[in-house]
Amino acid sequence: QVDLVESGGGSVQAGGSLGLSCAASGFIYDNYWMAWFRQAPGKEREGVATIFSEGHRVYADSVKGRFTIFQDSAKHTMYLQMNSLKPEDTGMYYCATKYGGIWSLAKTQYTYWGQGTQVTVSS
C-alpha cells in the first residue's frame, strides 16, 4: 500500500520561505511522477509542480521562478522549496503520485494522495 506523508507547512509573512516534504512508502521507486497540489478554501485543487523519477520537472506558471521541486531518491522523499511567498499561495498542500505516462498537473491523473499540510501566507 502506497503511503504519502507531508510535513513542513506553517505560517509565514509574504516574501518569506517555507519548505515542504513528502515521504513515500510502499512504493515501486521507478517510472513514477510525484507532484504537489494545493487547495485554497472554496477553490479547486490545483497542480503546483511535478517531478519524474528520472528528474524532469514541470511547474505551474503561478509558481515558476519561486518554487523548486526536488527529490532524494535514497530517502524516498520529495520536497518543495517555496520562496517569495504570496498570500495567494495560501492553502492545503498535498503530495500525490502516479506511475508512468506523461507529465500532468491535473488532479484526476494522480492515484495516491497524502493527507496534506497547511501553508498560510499573511500580507
Side-chain angles (χ1 to χ4, degrees):
Q1 177 177 336
V2 176
D3 191 29
L4 303 174
V5 179
E6 304 96 335
S7 61
S11 297
V12 66
Q13 288 193 321
S17 299
L18 278 176
L20 305 181
S21 301
C22 173
S25 61
F27 205 65
I28 299 175
Y29 300 106
D30 185 33
N31 190 31
Y32 61 86
W33 290 91
M34 292 191 76
W36 287 100
F37 287 78
R38 66 186 180 190
Q39 188 166 17
K43 293 189 176 182
E44 291 288 321
R45 190 171 299 189
E46 62 174 357
V48 173
T50 185
I51 185 167
F52 189 53
S53 48
E54 302 307 314
H56 183 61
R57 312 173 196 187
V58 180
Y59 295 93
D61 289 343
S62 59
V63 306
K64 281 181 183 176
R66 300 188 298 123
F67 290 13
T68 302
I69 187 172
F70 58 103
Q71 61 188 342
D72 184 333
S73 298
K75 295 182 179 179
H76 307 310
T77 301
M78 175 182 66
Y79 303 90
L80 185 69
Q81 179 61 39
M82 306 182 291
N83 299 328
S84 302
L85 282 161
K86 304 175 182 180
E88 52 263 45
D89 294 318
T90 294
M92 186 70 78
Y93 281 68
Y94 300 89
C95 70
T97 190
K98 70 182 185 80
Y99 289 112
I102 62 172
W103 72 267
S104 175
L105 290 176
K107 61 183 179 182
T108 55
Q109 297 299 308
Y110 286 80
T111 309
Y112 304 101
W113 293 84
Q115 293 301 304
T117 185
Q118 179 67 37
V119 171
T120 303
V121 184
S122 58
S123 57

